Amino acid sequence: MRTTIKTVLLLLISGFSYAQQDAQFTQYMYNTISINPAYAGSRETLSIFALHRSQWVGLEGAPQTNNISVNTLIKDTNVGIGVSILNDKIGPSDENNIAVDFSYSVPVSEVFKLSFGLKASANLLNIDFNKLNQFDGGDSNFAANIDNKFSPNIGVGFYLHSENTYVGLSMPNLLKTKHYDRYTGTGAASSLASQDIAYYLTAGHVFELNDNLKFKPSVLTKLVQGAPLGVDMSANFLINEKFVAGASYRLNAAVSGLIGFQATDSWFVGYSYDFDTTGLSNYNSGSHELFLRFELFNRYSKIYSPRFF
């Protein structure tokens, strides 16, 4: 069994050696700013969000992701700003990303606003090759670790939204970067970690079924050159403006259960569990995701019916 697990981990790490892509979140509908800068300020209050994701629990070297973000609408303007920090660990790699988001919103109808967003980010990559079980201890490819390899990026986004509906289109990383290339300048194509341009399309709508029950289906699609189309579909119910329960499906990857609780006007907590539908399900006990959101309201911005996204 241990040999099998190491084999699966080796395949996981070999995928990393070709392309280091954005972290994935099951509860993307609450963490839209991680992929779309136009979301900044859309909730029209100071919003602080923290998330932890443990993926493929029980699999050695499996991904661990931590994310914290703050965004707000600048008072008496149409400008939103945000800052987010993400740490993503997988196998021997430890990657940190810091992003600053800017948005500007214009009304396009009596109920809809269209927001335009810009993202500037800095990525720091660390790889400790000593954590690998190397077949050849003298392989020069693993002779030196990678320490805080810096790569910048920029992104754009568009976000059309009302109180009950949203549609977003974004490209959080417009630059195709090589985080690390051991043979830079030699003419050899040997990029160890690169990031391709990803295109995200998100959408959701809230249906009011009755005074105590709301239903929100949502979808996220992700397109990256050379990779299969990623599709996440979810369906959540909001009960008595307090409790959230639902399920989601990630195409050819996982099914998930989601729950949430609006503890106060300011505090919201959510949890999801993913069950893999691939062969990896034989080697892990699923994925866990927990988040906490705090929002600071004043007597003018205080909401009486919690926003569902």
Side-chain angles (χ1 to χ4, degrees), residues 66-274:
N66 291 288
N67 180 212
I68 185 168
S69 65
V70 180
N71 77 92
T72 188
L73 183 69
I74 298 178
K75 186 178 179 180
D76 299 326
T77 74
N78 295 322
V79 176
I81 56 173
V83 177
S84 61
I85 301 173
L86 185 143
N87 173 259
D88 201 19
K89 297 179 181 178
I90 176 171
S93 75
D94 187 340
E95 192 164 20
N96 293 288
N97 184 275
I98 302 172
V100 176
D101 299 292
F102 170 88
S103 73
Y104 184 81
S105 301
V106 295
V108 293
S109 74
E110 292 183 358
V111 295
F112 277 96
K113 291 182 178 179
L114 179 61
S115 301
F116 305 88
L118 294 174
K119 180 186 290 286
S121 61
N123 199 84
L124 297 173
L125 174 66
N126 296 277
I127 300 181
D128 183 358
F129 291 114
N130 295 318
K131 293 182 179 180
L132 294 176
N133 293 323
Q134 301 178 29
F135 293 104
D136 180 4
D139 191 336
S140 60
N141 285 322
F142 307 109
N145 292 332
I146 301 170
D147 297 315
N148 290 320
K149 173 61 179 178
F150 172 78
S151 58
N153 218 312
I154 57 173
V156 297
F158 306 90
Y159 190 64
L160 179 68
H161 57 102
S162 68
E163 285 297 317
N164 297 312
T165 305
Y166 71 90
V167 178
L169 175 64
S170 61
M171 292 155 281
N173 298 294
L174 284 175
L175 305 179
K176 183 175 181 178
T177 62
K178 290 184 177 181
H179 294 339
Y180 184 77
D181 192 338
R182 191 176 295 279
Y183 298 125
T184 297
T186 67
S190 58
S191 176
L192 180 67
S194 65
Q195 181 148 33
D196 290 321
I197 300 172
Y199 303 87
Y200 289 90
L201 177 65
T202 57
H205 181 75
V206 178
F207 297 91
E208 187 166 348
L209 304 181
N210 58 49
D211 291 342
N212 300 312
L213 183 64
K214 295 180 180 179
F215 171 60
K216 189 193 79 169
S218 62
V219 63
L220 177 150
T221 61
K222 177 183 178 180
L223 178 64
V224 182
Q225 184 179 3
L229 177 68
V231 180
D232 282 50
M233 297 174 286
S234 70
N236 282 292
F237 291 90
L238 177 62
I239 306 166
N240 293 326
E241 307 288 359
K242 289 289 185 182
F243 301 96
V244 176
S248 71
Y249 171 68
R250 182 173 298 121
L251 185 64
N252 299 322
V255 293
S256 310
L258 302 87
I259 57 174
F261 177 58
Q262 188 80 42
T264 68
D265 287 336
S266 294
W267 291 97
F268 182 76
V269 60
Y271 168 80
S272 66
Y273 173 79
D274 300 358

